[in-house]
Amino acid sequence: MSSLHKRIAQTRTARRLSQANFAECLGVTRTASSHWETGRAKPSTKHIEKIAKLLGIDITWLVGEIKTKD
Protein backbone atom coordinates (compact mmCIF):
# COMPACT_ATOMS: atom_id res chain seq x y z
CA MET A 1 0.00 0.00 0.00
CA SER A 2 1.91 2.99 -1.17
CA SER A 3 -0.54 5.47 -2.64
CA LEU A 4 -2.20 8.22 -0.64
CA HIS A 5 -5.63 7.29 -2.00
CA LYS A 6 -5.20 3.62 -1.08
CA ARG A 7 -4.03 4.50 2.43
CA ILE A 8 -7.03 6.77 2.98
CA ALA A 9 -9.47 4.06 1.82
CA GLN A 10 -7.74 1.27 3.75
CA THR A 11 -7.66 3.17 7.01
CA ARG A 12 -11.17 4.59 6.71
CA THR A 13 -12.65 1.13 6.17
CA ALA A 14 -10.51 -0.33 8.97
CA ARG A 15 -12.00 2.33 11.28
CA ARG A 16 -15.47 1.29 10.06
CA LEU A 17 -16.38 4.76 8.84
CA SER A 18 -18.69 5.10 5.88
CA GLN A 19 -17.64 7.52 3.17
CA ALA A 20 -20.60 9.69 4.16
CA ASN A 21 -19.54 9.83 7.84
CA PHE A 22 -15.93 10.36 6.89
CA ALA A 23 -16.83 13.23 4.58
CA GLU A 24 -19.13 14.81 7.16
CA CYS A 25 -16.41 14.75 9.83
CA LEU A 26 -14.04 16.47 7.40
CA GLY A 27 -16.58 19.01 6.19
CA VAL A 28 -16.49 17.86 2.56
CA THR A 29 -18.92 16.11 0.23
CA ARG A 30 -19.06 12.34 -0.07
CA THR A 31 -18.12 12.80 -3.72
CA ALA A 32 -14.92 14.60 -2.71
CA SER A 33 -13.95 11.82 -0.30
CA SER A 34 -14.75 9.23 -2.97
CA HIS A 35 -12.49 11.02 -5.44
CA TRP A 36 -9.70 11.06 -2.85
CA GLU A 37 -10.05 7.29 -2.35
CA THR A 38 -10.07 6.48 -6.06
CA GLY A 39 -7.19 8.80 -6.88
CA ARG A 40 -9.31 11.06 -9.11
CA ALA A 41 -8.43 13.99 -6.83
CA LYS A 42 -5.90 14.72 -4.12
CA PRO A 43 -6.88 16.30 -0.81
CA SER A 44 -5.35 19.63 0.13
CA THR A 45 -2.64 19.77 2.76
CA LYS A 46 -5.24 21.07 5.21
CA HIS A 47 -7.47 18.07 4.52
CA ILE A 48 -4.58 15.59 4.69
CA GLU A 49 -3.86 16.89 8.20
CA LYS A 50 -7.54 16.53 9.15
CA ILE A 51 -7.69 13.01 7.69
CA ALA A 52 -4.65 11.88 9.68
CA LYS A 53 -6.10 13.33 12.88
CA LEU A 54 -9.57 11.88 12.30
CA LEU A 55 -8.21 8.42 11.51
CA GLY A 56 -5.61 8.52 14.29
CA ILE A 57 -2.67 7.87 11.98
CA ASP A 58 0.72 9.41 11.44
CA ILE A 59 0.65 11.96 8.62
CA THR A 60 4.05 10.82 7.34
CA TRP A 61 2.69 7.29 6.84
CA LEU A 62 -0.43 8.65 5.16
CA VAL A 63 1.53 10.58 2.56
CA GLY A 64 3.97 7.72 2.03
CA GLU A 65 7.08 9.13 3.66
CA ILE A 66 7.37 6.06 5.91
CA LYS A 67 6.44 2.48 5.04
CA THR A 68 4.70 1.25 8.23
CA LYS A 69 2.15 2.80 10.48
CA ASP A 70 2.61 2.65 14.24
Side-chain angles (χ1 to χ4, degrees):
M1 205 55 47
S2 60
S3 299
L4 173 64
H5 69 277
K6 290 179 181 177
R7 289 177 185 222
I8 292 171
Q10 173 196 35
T11 309
R12 178 191 58 78
T13 56
R15 300 290 190 271
R16 297 178 187 228
L17 283 171
S18 68
Q19 276 188 342
N21 292 130
F22 179 68
E24 184 178 340
C25 290
L26 295 170
V28 299
T29 64
R30 193 201 58 76
T31 302
S33 68
S34 175
H35 286 183
W36 295 344
E37 291 186 11
T38 60
R40 291 182 67 190
K42 184 177 175 185
S44 68
T45 302
K46 174 181 82 170
H47 284 112
I48 290 173
E49 291 170 354
K50 286 183 174 184
I51 291 166
K53 185 174 181 177
L54 173 64
L55 298 177
I57 55 177
D58 188 277
I59 196 168
T60 56
W61 177 81
L62 183 61
V63 297
E65 291 180 19
I66 58 173
K67 300 279 184 208
T68 59
K69 63 179 169 179
D70 295 325

